[in-house]
Amino acid sequence: MSHSYLTTAELAERIKYDARTIRERLKDDVLLEGIHYIRPFGGRKILYLWEPIERDMQLYSKEESLGVPMAGGGVCYG
């Protein structure tokens, strides 16, 4: 399977997020190692996998559109 490998800066440009937000808020919370990014050869460099990120952004967007968020954290499906 072929993947498009992106640096943090390239991913930030593509999804219109700040690179710092990706590093501090999304990585390891939403973007998971082995699924959304890899560390080639066990090093410190991180390469993001575009196809799984794009797929999961679309899936999450579809799931969220099914209901109306409520103030207490719930969702109204009516």
Side-chain angles (χ1 to χ4, degrees), residues 26-49 53:
L26 299 180
K27 190 176 86 54
D28 296 327
D29 186 32
V30 176
L31 303 174
L32 305 173
E33 187 169 5
I35 298 172
H36 301 110
Y37 71 90
I38 60 170
R39 296 175 189 268
F41 311 110
R44 293 182 55 197
K45 178 109 178 141
I46 292 175
L47 292 176
Y48 291 91
L49 307 171
I53 292 171

Side-chain angles (χ1 to χ4, degrees), residues 58-71:
Q58 291 173 354
L59 286 174
Y60 185 73
S61 179
K62 288 177 187 175
E63 288 175 8
E64 287 297 309
S65 67
L66 296 176
V68 177
M70 306 296 286

Side-chain angles (χ1 to χ4, degrees), residues 2-15 18-40 44-54:
S2 179
H3 288 289
S4 301
Y5 298 102
L6 305 173
T7 64
T8 305
E10 292 168 334
L11 178 63
E13 185 177 317
R14 197 172 279 200
I15 65 173
D18 188 78
R20 185 174 175 182
T21 300
I22 292 171
R23 284 191 303 270
E24 294 179 1
R25 299 191 64 203
L26 299 180
K27 190 176 86 54
D28 296 327
D29 186 32
V30 176
L31 303 174
L32 305 173
E33 187 169 5
I35 298 172
H36 301 110
Y37 71 90
I38 60 170
R39 296 175 189 268
R44 293 182 55 197
K45 178 109 178 141
I46 292 175
L47 292 176
Y48 291 91
L49 307 171
W50 173 243
E51 291 77 9
I53 292 171
E54 183 178 39

